[in-house]
Amino acid sequence: GQNIDQPTEMTATEGAIVQINCTYQTSGFNGLFWYQQHAGEAPTFLSYNVLDGLEEKGRFSSFLSRSKGYSYLLLKELQMKDSASYLCAARWRKLQFGAGTQVVVTP
Amino acid sequence: DADVTQTPRNRITKTGKRIMLECSQTKGHDRMYWYRQDPGLGLRLIYYSFDVKDINKGEISDGYSVSRQAQAKFSLSLESAIPNQTALYFCATSDPSTDTQYFGPGTRLTVL
């Protein structure tokens, strides 16, 4: 099956920037999602990239390189409430989720 | 009001019992899904349905069954629950043009 790789955990300081990388198999790829999930809650949609490039939404940006099978989610001006798991999900014929990256924001 | 609702939100049951988890959505989407989430494994697809007459197995369907009672309702059953089915279960519906998933609040199931 298709694999999605993302780091297990990242720690950053309040006000800083964190970049969460995600790699996936390129064959049959149709698009890439990022979701945010706070502990015990449902995942919520952050972004969807189909074309190469950077898409910015406020403090969050998502980048995609289709040829490299690579995406990243950039979180700027980190706030304590950004402490959560960030799920990368790639769409082939079906959608598949990565295991998630736990981001811990420290004061 | 929430677009996707799940009942119950928490359930503790014993091995061998039959359990039904229910999901309703008001987004008007045809596509609905059931996932389970385990620590370190991410979200895994159990079953999905693209319309009322369509049911498809996901990657981990063994031990589960589903029923699509209407466009808005999709239920998941565990015919004979076992401890390794202890997990957080999410229902979702998706936008057909992009497959963006909209999740319910989840059901925490514990099988003793």
Side-chain angles (χ1 to χ4, degrees):
Chain A
Q2 289 89 355
N3 291 322
I4 299 174
D5 291 315
Q6 55 180 128
T8 303
E9 185 171 318
M10 303 181 74
T11 301
T13 307
E14 195 173 12
I17 298 172
V18 69
Q19 177 174 314
I20 307 168
N21 297 325
C22 173
T23 58
Y24 59 88
Q25 291 186 343
T26 58
S27 178
F29 173 78
N30 288 314
L32 191 123
F33 295 88
W34 285 97
Y35 287 84
Q36 180 191 58
Q37 186 179 22
H38 286 99
E41 297 183 8
T44 55
F45 171 76
L46 289 177
S47 65
Y48 177 52
N49 293 67
V50 177
L51 302 176
D52 286 355
L54 184 69
E55 295 207 3
E56 299 184 74
K57 284 186 184 180
R59 295 187 299 113
F60 292 4
S61 303
S62 57
F63 172 83
L64 180 68
S65 169
R66 295 179 66 108
S67 61
K68 295 181 179 178
Y70 168 69
S71 173
Y72 68 73
L73 180 69
L74 193 69
L75 315 181
K76 293 180 277 191
E77 300 170 18
L78 278 173
Q79 301 176 9
M80 298 300 291
K81 67 179 181 180
D82 297 331
S83 291
S85 183
Y86 291 85
L87 311 179
C88 171
R91 184 183 178 201
W92 293 281
R93 286 186 63 192
K94 296 177 185 176
L95 186 66
Q96 185 170 338
F97 286 83
T101 298
Q102 185 67 43
V103 170
V104 177
V105 181
T106 60
Chain B
D1 288 341
D3 293 321
V4 185
T5 57
Q6 293 182 231
T7 56
R9 295 293 313 279
N10 289 282
R11 182 72 183 268
I12 300 173
T13 191
K14 295 182 179 179
T15 297
K17 293 291 187 181
R18 185 177 188 275
I19 297 297
M20 179 180 285
L21 309 182
E22 300 191 6
C23 176
S24 294
Q25 54 103 354
T26 57
K27 295 189 76 68
H29 293 158
D30 288 324
R31 299 183 175 189
M32 297 188 74
Y33 308 79
W34 275 104
Y35 292 91
R36 68 176 277 176
Q37 188 173 41
D38 300 274
L41 293 179
L43 286 160
R44 292 183 292 166
L45 184 63
I46 306 172
Y47 270 95
Y48 62 102
S49 169
F50 283 176
D51 66 40
V52 175
K53 297 180 180 179
D54 177 71
I55 300 289
N56 304 281
K57 292 182 177 181
E59 58 183 298
I60 54 162
S61 58
D62 286 350
Y64 301 96
S65 62
V66 290
S67 174
R68 185 78 185 267
Q69 300 95 326
Q71 186 202 41
K73 296 184 182 296
F74 193 36
S75 60
L76 176 72
S77 293
L78 287 68
E79 297 301 325
S80 179
I82 56 177
N84 77 0
Q85 291 177 313
T86 293
L88 188 54
Y89 289 83
F90 288 103
C91 174
T93 182
S94 73
D95 176 333
S97 61
T98 65
D99 222 11
T100 301
Q101 309 274 300
Y102 298 94
F103 290 88
T107 295
R108 187 168 295 281
L109 177 67
T110 303
V111 183
L112 302 175

